[in-house]
Amino acid sequence: MLGALRDWIAEKFPAWIFLGGLLSVWQLVVAQEWVAAYLLPSPTQIFTTTFTLWPEIWAATLSTAYSICWGLGFSILIGVSLALLFFAIPLVRRAVLPFCIFFQTVPIIAIAPLLVIWFGFGDPTVRASAFIVSLFPILANTLTGLQETDPQLRELYRLYRPSPWQLIVKLQLPSALPYMLTGIRISAGLAVIGAIVGEFIAGGGIGSLIDAARTQQRVDLVFSGVLMSSVLALSLVFAIELLSRLLLQGRPYLRKV
Amino acid sequence: MLGALRDWIAEKFPAWIFLGGLLSVWQLVVAQEWVAAYLLPSPTQIFTTTFTLWPEIWAATLSTAYSICWGLGFSILIGVSLALLFFAIPLVRRAVLPFCIFFQTVPIIAIAPLLVIWFGFGDPTVRASAFIVSLFPILANTLTGLQETDPQLRELYRLYRPSPWQLIVKLQLPSALPYMLTGIRISAGLAVIGAIVGEFIAGGGIGSLIDAARTQQRVDLVFSGVLMSSVLALSLVFAIELLSRLLLQGRPYLRKV
Amino acid sequence: AKPLVLALNWKPEPQFGGFYAAQEAGYFRKNKLDIEITEGGSGTPTIQMLLAGRVDYAIVSGDEVIIAHARGGDIVALFATYQVSPQGIMTHASRGFESIEDVVHGDGVLLWQSGLPYSQFFRMKYAPLKVTTAPYLGGIGNFRNDAKLSQQCFVTSEPLEAEAVGLKVKTFLVAESGYNPYTTVLVTRRARLEKSPDEVKRMVGAVRAGWKDYLSDAVPTNRVMGDLNKAMSAETFSASAAAQHSLIQTTAETELGSMTQERWQTLADQLLAIDVIPKPVKVDTLFANF
Amino acid sequence: MSAIDVTALSKRFSASEAPVVQNLTFTLEEGQCLCLLGPSGCGKTTLLRLLMGLEKVSEGDITLSPGLIEHMSYVFQEPRLVPWRSCLENVLLPLELTRSNSAGQRDRATALLQQLGLGERLGHFPSELSGGMQMRVALARALVTEPRIILLDEPFAALDERSRFRMQDLLLSFKAELGLQYVFVTHSIAEAVYLGDRILMMDAQGGQRDWRAIDFPARGQALKMTAEFNGIVESYSRLFTDMEIALVENGGRV
Amino acid sequence: MSAIDVTALSKRFSASEAPVVQNLTFTLEEGQCLCLLGPSGCGKTTLLRLLMGLEKVSEGDITLSPGLIEHMSYVFQEPRLVPWRSCLENVLLPLELTRSNSAGQRDRATALLQQLGLGERLGHFPSELSGGMQMRVALARALVTEPRIILLDEPFAALDERSRFRMQDLLLSFKAELGLQYVFVTHSIAEAVYLGDRILMMDAQGGQRDWRAIDFPARGQALKMTAEFNGIVESYSRLFTDMEIALVENGGRV
Ligand SMILES: Nc1ncnc2c1ncn2[C@@H]1O[C@H](COP(=O)(O)OP(=O)(O)OP(=O)(O)O)[C@@H](O)[C@H]1O
Ligand SMILES: Nc1ncnc2c1ncn2[C@@H]1O[C@H](COP(=O)(O)OP(=O)(O)OP(=O)(O)O)[C@@H](O)[C@H]1O
Ligand SMILES: [Mg+2]
Ligand SMILES: [Mg+2]
């Protein structure tokens, strides 16, 4: 376990290097005034702002993080369940799947009145927004994964007349795993943006902070918020990755024999 | 080809039935005033509005559709290319991939002034927004698809010392195809939302229409816009589906031997 | 009992100073009211929240009141904070514009929030517009970056920020064009007013007292709001509070926040003329002075 | 009573192509074991799949003795192991799926793998096993449920001669001790003659070329040295040659 | 000059486990063909993969004659066909990948498939072919590039006896006419004796049990009836039995 952690840090090393390079170039671009600081604050300024307002920013981040976990958790739960349902009953899939796309395309801002009225101010609306935005990728990817299950293995399992539940747990979910994990990774990023947009409307968290700062010329604060949201997204993605490594632990998934 | 089209219409039949049911329930809910009409207009009202303002709505839809195609097209191009690059050079993947997640999580509205300054008001910003929002799913899914290529087949191909290009075209892309298509389906929905948000910022198309209608509490018009954007997304998804069927034409992709 | 909710349509800023002052000075409590103020954000639909009964009092703009009526939403305006609409058009002084008409007939870009009634009013009154229009999303980033760009503003906000960063600006009030809706209007549902006119009366009283305090000394309340809204600096708070003073203050004979049927009627007629509302609206019952 | 009754059985995969299995009729009695012979591509696998219910019958009938279907087991022509399960987990799979995964049966699975020479490979994943080992895991997986009848598609093709002989005798011992029946597809005529109470030989068109009862008083590797055994093997060999000549004359497919 | 030179070759997959191939040393001369024999799981496939460069050598050396590596071909133990390519497209794959896809070579691919009895299956997808057919497609794919040496891992295991004999003679004719060399893994001792100029026999531990030159003046199916031929087969059979006895005595792995 500890060894895995060490490997993982080593693996992430190039990303840190790249980050360093990126920040240097950014700093240079702003220092040389190639882009005005009121449009794009320099990294040092962003860090200073973040540091100065840390208590508020941290509280906002926590609140957003909480909503994201809720929204993403529900997306995974509902997304995987729906995918299983659609897979089990193709008629339902053919009838309902197109309407799931609707979920993805409706701008949250357009249905904000409905959301706020159903869920009220604050967290519940934010969670709902994170959920709506992040549902489809998990659903679509899990469904594809289920449909791409090796038909030869399916035939093998069928020989033993498993219950549908067994078929799901012992064959279909394991073999859909790489698809699901990719779907979750995509959804994690979307859940973050969903939560922030939700907070534009319903208040609270990083979204509110960005919204207020945006109209007040506080680009540095806007970018602080953006920074924190990216940190949240990256932490989520890394957490998912670590978790999936622990889950798989050297098992050769989807590797043919 | 014609037969395929007929099959396809038959396959979509359940969706139409479901749509009918959904609309009936919706109509009932509004007619019975379970939800007030100023929050949720009835389907008939939405259709009436759409019909009355058809010239404006149609022009807006065309303009948005155009931006979406641009944005999604670029996403596919850049997403697939990046996935290939990341796959070919793992160091680059480890360094850069985390920052692609940044793209997904930054609220377009927060960087609106930057976008507008770089791309100008109007279509270019809208396209850029559609692109930014829809890049990641294609990238992530294609990359997963490439990584999940059957190692046994990879070994087989390597025997013949193919050029990297041949390996990509003849092995990796075909076997990543189901992943890619799912990624494109997810991205299609996101490109629609990206374009609309872009239009909130830069003007034009359905986005402007929704934005203006929202300020004037024209919920019916807001929903007309939402309706058209969903129609766009569904048309895209269906087009992708038809195209992929034509492309594959009975070839047993990813089916083991 | 649960507190009554007053929904603002934006973050704590001087435009809501009186409401926070009433809370701070305890005027609500003194009037036997338990009020919870909730802040809003981009796209917070306060009027729909009010209509749906999710909140008890809301802050909306004058034109929203008329539009809501035209769409069958029965609300009553109780207290109009801004007697003169603070909406304005901010231009670079270097352009040498003398009036709104110059701006809309000039070249360059004009940023305004799409769908705002006054933009429609301009389109009718000054037709045809020559300026290129684009959506306004807040902030003055684009304004700073482009010397030929004009934008909508609250005269209490953006022009002050622009001057603070050293820009020379010239600002025109939208009201100059003849379109002058009451702004930052306290509203409630008619049902609520009819059920307990007394509570509404106490509410308006507390708000008026709050605004009186705020107009005479904004500093303590600004400090409270500053804690809630870290994005706005203390200087901006006081500058903004000073700038809005004349737009809120009424003459000696009329009380703070009071409204006239005549002005509401003008607004309704204007909105009808520019097709924002489909049918005439009776204005005599749509507001109540206390 | 007959265990398997096949009447005028045909199978075609598409209307436009010639049938793959053509008009087969035979009866396998309770307790008897059947071997299938025939040139590559003649339809042996297809017949086995039809018996197992993995393919739909196009024409004709298959009747199984009542209750038999619940006690059938199948070994595919390729190992078809689950890649993310270890050797032992692969063998345990049928027990998990049929909800009969008792401790005793786990022991049985281990014992079976030991009998098949895989006692040291319990924890290996399929990709770490040799071809012959994979096939033996598949065999263990089919045997672990204690079936009454087992359908085997060239199970020993990837084994060396010695292991193969050992496996043959293992199968015969299961037959003698547990009453296990099997339907066995093989390309080795000697193996078919050694293992089959009945031999069905198919021609290249999927038709029934020969249907014969093989009767030895006792079976054992020594039998393979006897003149009688080799005579039978020889006669089948001649049948193959005849078919080939007929084919070449007709310009037909191989 | 020697084509393949192997010195003290060992391979282990992990440091903790016993080596899979152990201390092999042999030399194959130009023009000679080699057959590999050994119990299931002894390391034959691993040796073949080492020769092809598909596995890294752990200890020892493999030296190929200069330029040979570019003219090597490989047939895996399983067909390993590309599922989305038809039979003919699978055979054309190497030509496409080596950029030598001329019209003449397309014809050659079709001709090869016809020689292998698949003339009517050109457009079928792998999932529509029988096991033996798939293996033959794999064989055609390996031959289509006109290699100088071809490594074959039990290529005929899924074929009936007649087809197998025909394939054996086809291979011999390629050897005689085109100078094709091969390294051939098989479980059939007779096949090894029939096809090999040299036979390498491995023991269960991956070591070198026997290394012998087989010399017949001429080869043809009739050879299999001769006493000399059967004597050699018999001697190998005895070697297998000896190894087994030794194993049982040592309580070793199979
Ligand atoms: N799914 C399918 N679709 C079309 N044709 C098929 C399908 N499966 C098998 N066939 C055809 O049926 C015939 C018989 O195949 P089958 O696998 O039963 O042969 P077999 O006797 O088992 O051969 P082998 O000994 O090579 O395994 C072959 O010609 C094959 O091409
Ligand atoms: N990737 C691997 N990791 C670990 N062990 C392996 C791996 N590949 C093969 N082995 C082991 O190496 C040994 C030899 O395997 P190999 O496939 O070479 O046998 P073989 O002689 O070809 O057997 P068969 O006749 O059954 O095909 C086996 O014990 C097998 O478990
Ligand atoms: Mg077969
Ligand atoms: Mg092998």
Side-chain angles (χ1 to χ4, degrees):
Chain A
M1 247 237 64
L2 248 161
L5 195 71
R6 208 174 321 118
D7 286 358
W8 180 76
I9 288 170
E11 194 192 303
K12 292 302 167 225
F13 198 66
W16 291 109
I17 301 285
F18 184 74
L19 178 65
L22 205 72
L23 290 181
S24 316
V25 172
W26 182 347
Q27 183 76 35
L28 190 78
V29 163
V30 181
Q32 296 292 316
E33 300 201 359
W34 292 329
V35 175
Y38 60 83
L39 290 172
L40 187 68
S42 69
T44 48
Q45 198 190 338
I46 296 173
F47 288 127
T48 314
T49 305
T50 311
F51 190 74
T52 318
L53 292 174
W54 183 246
E56 285 82 11
I57 291 178
W58 179 238
T61 307
L62 275 187
S63 141
T64 304
Y66 197 67
S67 299
I68 292 170
C69 290
W70 258 85
L72 185 64
F74 259 87
S75 277
I76 295 174
L77 204 76
I78 307 284
V80 172
S81 311
L82 271 184
L84 286 170
L85 179 73
F86 288 174
F87 178 67
I89 318 177
L91 195 73
V92 175
R93 171 177 58 73
R94 300 218 305 267
V96 182
L97 188 58
F99 299 94
C100 294
I101 294 169
F102 174 84
F103 247 15
Q104 256 215 314
T105 56
V106 61
I108 292 289
I109 274 205
I111 55 162
L114 288 175
L115 280 187
V116 181
I117 280 149
W118 281 330
F119 299 104
F121 270 123
D123 285 354
T125 300
V126 177
R127 286 177 209 159
S129 164
F131 165 74
I132 290 176
V133 169
S134 63
L135 177 68
F136 190 69
I138 291 178
L139 170 59
N141 262 24
T142 307
L143 187 60
T144 306
L146 293 174
Q147 286 169 338
E148 294 293 328
T149 306
D150 183 355
Q152 296 202 333
L153 284 185
R154 210 142 61 201
E155 198 177 72
L156 168 73
Y157 275 67
R158 289 261 165 79
L159 286 182
Y160 303 105
R161 294 183 203 78
S163 67
W165 180 242
Q166 284 181 317
L167 205 60
I168 286 166
V169 171
K170 301 206 182 246
L171 172 64
Q172 279 148 355
L173 286 184
S175 81
L177 213 62
Y179 280 89
M180 274 173 61
L181 288 173
T182 305
I184 292 176
R185 234 182 337 252
I186 296 171
S187 286
L190 288 177
V192 172
I193 194 108
I196 288 177
V197 171
E199 286 167 344
F200 282 177
I201 295 157
I206 300 179
S208 244
L209 197 79
I210 292 179
D211 202 21
R214 200 166 53 81
T215 49
Q216 288 299 327
Q217 286 323 297
R218 293 294 306 270
V219 245
D220 52 338
L221 196 50
V222 169
F223 274 80
S224 275
V226 169
L227 173 76
M228 292 316 288
S229 71
S230 290
V231 167
L232 276 183
L234 286 176
S235 322
L236 259 184
V237 169
F238 288 167
I240 291 161
E241 206 178 306
L242 259 186
L243 198 82
S244 66
R245 285 202 194 186
L246 280 179
L247 267 176
L248 305 191
Q249 283 219 9
R251 291 209 171 228
Y253 270 91
L254 265 202
R255 293 279 169 266
K256 289 198 194 171
V257 189
Chain B
M1 246 237 66
L2 249 161
L5 196 71
R6 209 176 317 120
D7 286 358
W8 179 75
I9 289 172
E11 195 192 301
K12 292 300 165 225
F13 198 67
W16 292 109
I17 300 285
F18 184 73
L19 178 64
L22 205 73
L23 289 181
S24 313
V25 172
W26 183 346
Q27 183 76 35
L28 190 77
V29 163
V30 182
Q32 296 292 315
E33 300 201 2
W34 292 329
V35 175
Y38 53 77
L39 287 175
L40 187 68
S42 70
T44 48
Q45 199 190 336
I46 295 173
F47 288 128
T48 314
T49 305
T50 311
F51 189 76
T52 319
L53 294 174
W54 183 247
E56 285 86 357
I57 291 178
W58 179 238
T61 307
L62 275 187
S63 142
T64 304
Y66 197 66
S67 300
I68 292 170
C69 290
W70 258 84
L72 184 63
F74 258 87
S75 277
I76 294 174
L77 204 76
I78 306 285
V80 173
S81 310
L82 271 183
L84 287 170
L85 179 73
F86 289 173
F87 179 68
I89 317 178
L91 195 74
V92 175
R93 170 177 58 71
R94 300 219 304 268
V96 182
L97 187 58
F99 300 94
C100 294
I101 294 169
F102 174 84
F103 248 14
Q104 257 214 315
T105 55
V106 59
I108 293 288
I109 282 201
I111 56 163
L114 278 179
L115 278 186
V116 171
I117 282 155
W118 282 330
F119 298 104
F121 288 104
D123 283 355
T125 300
V126 178
R127 287 177 209 160
S129 164
F131 165 74
I132 289 174
V133 168
S134 64
L135 177 67
F136 191 68
I138 291 179
L139 169 59
N141 263 25
T142 306
L143 187 61
T144 306
L146 293 174
Q147 286 170 338
E148 293 293 327
T149 305
D150 182 356
Q152 296 203 331
L153 284 184
R154 212 143 59 200
E155 198 176 69
L156 168 72
Y157 275 67
R158 289 261 165 80
L159 286 183
Y160 302 104
R161 293 182 203 80
S163 67
W165 180 244
Q166 284 181 317
L167 205 60
I168 286 165
V169 171
K170 302 206 182 245
L171 172 64
Q172 280 148 352
L173 286 185
S175 81
L177 213 62
Y179 280 91
M180 274 174 62
L181 287 174
T182 304
I184 292 177
R185 236 185 333 254
I186 296 170
S187 285
L190 289 177
V192 172
I193 198 115
I196 287 177
V197 171
E199 286 167 344
F200 284 175
I201 295 166
I206 299 179
S208 273
L209 197 82
I210 292 179
D211 202 23
R214 206 165 51 86
T215 339
Q216 297 174 7
Q217 299 173 49
R218 291 286 308 267
V219 246
D220 53 338
L221 195 49
V222 169
F223 272 81
S224 273
V226 169
L227 173 76
M228 291 315 288
S229 72
S230 290
V231 168
L232 277 182
L234 286 176
S235 320
L236 259 183
V237 170
F238 288 168
I240 291 162
E241 206 178 305
L242 260 186
L243 198 81
S244 66
R245 284 200 194 187
L246 280 178
L247 268 176
L248 305 190
Q249 283 220 7
R251 293 214 169 223
Y253 268 91
L254 265 203
R255 293 278 168 267
K256 288 195 195 177
V257 188
Chain C
K2 279 209 331 216
L4 299 173
V5 178
L6 165 60
L8 308 185
N9 55 3
W10 188 238
K11 321 266 168 213
E13 283 186 7
Q15 55 167 317
F16 305 120
F19 303 103
Y20 281 98
Q23 184 80 294
E24 276 312 296
Y27 295 136
F28 289 134
R29 218 171 315 111
K30 266 180 231 158
N31 282 6
K32 293 190 285 298
L33 290 166
D34 182 10
I35 299 288
E36 179 193 333
I37 300 179
T38 62
E39 61 183 72
S42 306
T44 308
T46 45
I47 198 154
Q48 274 109 332
M49 307 265 313
L50 180 72
L51 286 169
R54 273 278 172 172
V55 300
D56 308 292
Y57 294 91
I59 303 300
V60 302
S61 68
D63 28 39
E64 280 181 299
V65 174
I66 306 265
I67 294 170
H69 266 265
R71 323 213 103 237
D74 206 358
I75 58 175
V76 187
L78 305 171
F79 182 95
T81 305
Y82 288 100
Q83 295 293 314
V84 178
S85 168
Q87 283 169 322
I89 303 292
M90 172 168 82
T91 69
H92 287 277
S94 57
R95 309 272 333 252
F97 290 132
E98 294 294 333
S99 67
I100 287 175
E101 194 165 359
D102 289 351
V103 177
V104 297
H105 288 158
D107 56 356
V109 178
L110 171 60
L111 300 185
W112 59 18
Q113 194 186 335
S114 23
L116 275 187
Y118 80 74
S119 67
Q120 239 103 324
F121 185 79
F122 282 12
R123 280 182 203 285
M124 185 188 72
K125 181 162 178 186
Y126 302 119
L129 302 194
K130 184 162 171 262
V131 71
T132 310
T133 60
Y136 179 59
L137 290 156
I140 58 168
N142 292 114
F143 185 76
R144 286 176 81 175
N145 190 57
D146 183 351
K148 297 191 87 174
L149 187 136
S150 309
Q151 67 162 64
Q152 81 174 48
C153 66
F154 261 38
V155 294
T156 58
S157 171
E158 286 93 338
L160 303 178
E161 290 164 15
E163 278 161 3
V165 297
L167 295 174
K168 300 260 176 301
V169 302
K170 178 145 180 62
T171 305
F172 307 98
L173 275 175
V174 166
E176 288 172 14
S177 71
Y179 184 80
N180 184 22
Y182 293 119
T183 308
T184 311
V185 182
L186 175 71
V187 294
T188 192
R189 288 183 303 282
R190 179 172 309 282
R192 179 155 210 100
L193 174 63
E194 281 167 359
K195 192 169 141 250
S196 47
D198 179 55
E199 173 205 296
V200 173
K201 190 160 192 281
R202 281 182 277 126
M203 177 76 184
V204 174
V207 165
R208 185 168 286 136
W211 271 111
K212 271 194 188 119
D213 278 13
Y214 191 75
L215 288 180
S216 61
D217 181 11
V219 177
T221 312
N222 280 351
R223 206 173 297 126
V224 172
M225 289 193 290
D227 280 340
L228 297 172
N229 183 359
K230 292 282 178 200
M232 199 169 199
S233 67
E235 299 78 56
T236 317
F237 262 107
S238 45
S240 177
Q244 73 182 8
H245 205 283
S246 62
L247 307 176
I248 296 170
Q249 191 59 270
T250 47
T251 55
E253 305 86 73
T254 48
E255 289 211 81
L256 278 183
S258 62
M259 300 160 280
T260 69
Q261 180 164 350
E262 186 194 346
R263 276 192 64 187
W264 278 115
Q265 191 61 58
T266 309
L267 183 60
D269 293 344
Q270 286 169 333
L271 291 177
L272 184 64
I274 59 176
D275 269 345
V276 167
I277 55 173
K279 56 174 198 270
V281 166
K282 273 183 65 155
V283 299
D284 50 344
T285 58
L286 127 184
F287 73 101
N289 282 319
F290 288 91
Chain D
M1 214 193 72
S2 59
I4 300 179
D5 218 330
V6 170
T7 329
L9 180 69
S10 290
K11 169 72 186 175
R12 45 176 91 234
F13 282 101
S14 73
S16 60
E17 282 181 71
V20 159
V21 160
Q22 239 181 96
N23 196 27
L24 296 185
T25 303
F26 62 86
T27 300
L28 192 70
E29 299 302 322
E30 201 74 61
Q32 281 192 331
C33 294
L34 171 67
C35 286
L36 291 177
L37 280 175
S40 170
C42 73
K44 302 180 296 300
T45 298
T46 307
L47 174 56
L48 224 52
R49 291 173 58 84
L50 285 165
L51 291 176
M52 191 69 209
L54 294 174
E55 301 281 356
K56 281 213 195 81
V57 169
S58 303
E59 283 155 50
D61 268 315
I62 297 175
T63 317
L64 301 179
S65 74
L68 187 61
I69 188 80
E70 261 105 67
H71 300 276
M72 267 169 121
S73 212
Y74 195 99
V75 177
F76 293 95
Q77 194 167 355
E78 69 287 344
R80 222 179 265 204
L81 303 180
V82 182
W84 59 83
R85 284 177 161 252
S86 71
C87 184
L88 180 60
E89 287 168 344
N90 261 289
V91 176
L92 290 174
L93 178 70
L95 301 178
E96 291 176 20
L97 294 181
T98 54
R99 277 143 283 190
S100 53
N101 192 4
S102 67
Q105 280 177 305
R106 280 188 87 89
D107 293 347
R108 192 177 141 71
T110 317
L112 254 174
L113 282 169
Q114 257 148 5
Q115 265 184 301
L116 296 174
L118 293 167
E120 289 179 7
R121 309 275 158 178
L122 301 182
H124 282 57
F125 287 105
S127 57
E128 300 167 339
L129 297 177
S130 83
M133 289 170 168
Q134 290 178 18
M135 212 53 218
R136 279 178 278 164
V137 175
L139 187 63
R141 180 177 61 191
L143 286 170
V144 79
T145 51
E146 304 186 311
R148 268 168 52 197
I149 187 164
I150 178 167
L151 312 186
L152 301 144
D153 201 349
E154 306 186 27
F156 306 152
L159 294 183
D160 60 291
E161 217 159 76
R162 301 298 311 173
S163 313
R164 191 167 189 149
F165 291 169
R166 213 168 330 110
M167 294 295 148
Q168 288 170 357
D169 290 338
L170 192 68
L171 208 56
L172 284 176
S173 77
F174 283 140
K175 183 187 174 194
E177 288 158 26
L178 311 169
L180 176 73
Q181 267 182 291
Y182 49 81
V183 178
F184 193 102
V185 173
T186 178
H187 281 307
S188 159
I189 297 174
E191 190 167 64
V193 174
Y194 185 60
L195 289 178
D197 298 314
R198 290 277 187 173
I199 294 183
L200 172 68
M201 186 166 155
M202 296 167 72
D203 59 27
Q205 287 76 34
Q208 189 160 340
R209 180 70 183 78
D210 189 84
W211 168 249
R212 216 186 287 185
I214 306 286
D215 215 4
F216 295 117
R219 309 207 186 211
Q221 292 298 334
L223 179 67
K224 293 187 183 169
M225 305 298 158
T226 64
E228 188 194 357
F229 182 91
N230 284 303
I232 302 177
V233 170
E234 189 50 39
S235 76
Y236 275 111
S237 199
R238 244 175 289 119
L239 279 181
F240 265 103
T241 320
D242 292 351
M243 283 193 325
E244 203 159 74
I245 291 166
L247 251 185
V248 172
E249 280 168 357
N250 298 335
R253 62 174 191 175
V254 183
Chain E
M1 213 190 73
S2 59
I4 300 178
D5 217 330
V6 171
T7 328
L9 180 68
S10 289
K11 169 72 185 176
R12 47 176 90 232
F13 283 101
S14 73
S16 60
E17 281 180 73
V20 159
V21 161
Q22 240 183 92
N23 197 27
L24 296 184
T25 303
F26 62 87
T27 301
L28 193 70
E29 299 302 323
E30 201 75 58
Q32 282 192 330
C33 294
L34 171 67
C35 286
L36 291 177
L37 280 174
S40 170
C42 73
K44 302 180 296 299
T45 298
T46 306
L47 174 56
L48 225 52
R49 291 173 58 84
L50 285 165
L51 291 176
M52 191 70 210
L54 294 174
E55 302 280 357
K56 282 212 194 80
V57 169
S58 302
E59 283 155 51
D61 269 315
I62 298 175
T63 317
L64 301 179
S65 74
L68 187 60
I69 187 83
E70 261 106 67
H71 300 277
M72 267 172 121
S73 211
Y74 195 100
V75 177
F76 293 95
Q77 194 166 357
E78 70 287 342
R80 223 179 264 205
L81 302 180
V82 182
W84 59 84
R85 284 178 161 251
S86 71
C87 184
L88 180 60
E89 287 168 343
N90 261 288
V91 177
L92 290 175
L93 178 70
L95 302 177
E96 291 175 21
L97 294 181
T98 54
R99 278 144 284 188
S100 53
N101 191 4
S102 66
Q105 280 176 306
R106 280 189 87 90
D107 293 348
R108 192 177 139 73
T110 315
L112 255 174
L113 282 168
Q114 256 148 5
Q115 265 184 301
L116 296 174
L118 292 167
E120 290 179 5
R121 307 277 157 178
L122 302 183
H124 282 58
F125 286 106
S127 58
E128 299 167 339
L129 298 176
S130 84
M133 289 170 169
Q134 291 179 17
M135 212 52 218
R136 279 178 277 164
V137 175
L139 188 61
R141 181 176 62 190
L143 287 170
V144 79
T145 52
E146 304 185 311
R148 267 167 53 197
I149 187 164
I150 178 168
L151 312 186
L152 300 144
D153 202 347
E154 304 186 28
F156 307 150
L159 294 183
D160 59 293
E161 218 159 75
R162 300 300 307 173
S163 313
R164 192 167 187 149
F165 290 171
R166 214 170 327 112
M167 294 296 146
Q168 289 170 355
D169 290 338
L170 192 69
L171 208 55
L172 285 176
S173 77
F174 284 139
K175 184 188 173 195
E177 289 159 25
L178 310 168
L180 176 74
Q181 267 182 289
Y182 48 81
V183 179
F184 194 103
V185 173
T186 179
H187 281 306
S188 160
I189 298 174
E191 190 166 65
V193 175
Y194 186 60
L195 289 178
D197 298 315
R198 290 278 187 172
I199 294 182
L200 173 68
M201 188 166 155
M202 296 168 72
D203 59 28
Q205 287 77 32
Q208 189 160 339
R209 182 68 182 81
D210 189 85
W211 168 248
R212 215 184 289 184
I214 306 287
D215 215 5
F216 294 118
R219 309 207 187 211
Q221 292 298 334
L223 179 68
K224 293 185 184 171
M225 304 300 157
T226 65
E228 189 194 355
F229 183 91
N230 284 303
I232 302 177
V233 170
E234 188 52 37
S235 75
Y236 275 110
S237 200
R238 244 175 289 119
L239 278 180
F240 265 104
T241 320
D242 293 349
M243 283 193 325
E244 203 158 73
I245 292 166
L247 252 185
V248 172
E249 280 169 357
N250 297 335
R253 63 177 191 171
V254 183

